[in-house]
């Protein structure tokens, strides 16, 4: 059984967060350390530590993460200009919180994709 992170507490509303969307499969909230005018994290309600742990049975939640990303990008007014979706995996990927999350980042030109 994987160890819970602070994100499970956010899903259960046990600690404060700026939650912008929640349903039976996913939760989305503003990143506490935003790197752009819009920076939202979209996570499955189920604890999946890394992308390496994704199972076929998770496909519904993972697909929902994309439709929620589309909706939130529109809500944020950044859909037309564009934005970036990022998922980090493990140490080399720069993952800090071991509950998979999609970063929705936008609101300014982000430049070329960063590696390193
Ligand atoms: P990653 O490096 O991909 O694991 O990203 C983890 C992200 O979670 C970082 O951008 C953090 O700023 C963000 N984060 C950590 N704790 C919180 C929190 N309590 N509420 C909102 N965002 C958080």
């Amino acid at each position: 059984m994987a160890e819970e992170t602070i994100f499970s507490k956010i899903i259960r509303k046990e600690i404060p967060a700026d939650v912008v969307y929640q349903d039976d499969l996913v939760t989305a909230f503003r990143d506490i350390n935003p790197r752009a005018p819009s920076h939202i994290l979209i996570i499955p309600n189920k604890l999946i530590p890394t992308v390496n742990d994704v199972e076929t049975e998770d496909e519904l939640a993972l697909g929902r993460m994309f439709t929620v990303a589309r909706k939130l990008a529109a809500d944020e007014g950044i859909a037309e200009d564009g934005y970036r979706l990022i998922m980090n995996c493990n140490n080399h990927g720069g993952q800090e919180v071991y509950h998979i999350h999609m970063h929705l980042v936008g609101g300014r030109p982000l430049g070329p994709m960063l590696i390193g």
Side-chain angles (χ1 to χ4, degrees), residues 32-114:
I32 206 167
N33 178 25
R35 263 69 120 227
S38 292
H39 188 171
I40 293 171
L41 301 177
I42 304 164
I43 70 176
N45 294 338
K46 174 187 169 185
L47 169 53
I48 304 169
T50 80
V51 174
N52 292 337
D53 302 302
V54 162
E55 307 276 4
T56 308
E57 68 190 33
D58 300 323
E59 286 174 356
L60 195 58
L62 298 170
R64 184 72 59 83
M65 288 164 71
F66 276 92
T67 50
V68 169
R70 181 198 63 196
K71 171 196 160 22
L72 293 176
D75 291 351
E76 293 286 296
I78 60 174
E80 196 146 322
D81 282 339
Y83 51 91
R84 188 167 290 157
L85 301 174
I86 305 164
M87 293 185 77
N88 298 322
C89 182
N90 273 342
N91 185 31
H92 283 192
Q95 185 174 3
E96 290 171 358
V97 179
Y98 282 78
H99 182 138
I100 61 167
H101 45 280
M102 176 188 281
H103 296 257
L104 165 61
V105 188
R108 66 169 171 80
L110 297 169
M113 187 172 73
L114 281 184

Side-chain angles (χ1 to χ4, degrees), residues 3-60:
E3 213 168 297
E4 279 194 358
T5 74
I6 197 164
F7 287 180
S8 289
K9 292 187 167 63
I10 289 175
I11 292 165
R12 295 195 299 263
K13 308 269 172 67
E14 290 171 6
I15 62 163
D18 189 353
V19 175
V20 294
Y21 181 89
Q22 187 166 47
D23 65 21
D24 56 323
L25 289 175
V26 307
T27 299
F29 50 96
R30 294 192 188 280
D31 197 292
I32 206 167
N33 178 25
R35 263 69 120 227
S38 292
H39 188 171
I40 293 171
L41 301 177
I42 304 164
I43 70 176
N45 294 338
K46 174 187 169 185
L47 169 53
I48 304 169
T50 80
V51 174
N52 292 337
D53 302 302
V54 162
E55 307 276 4
T56 308
E57 68 190 33
D58 300 323
E59 286 174 356
L60 195 58

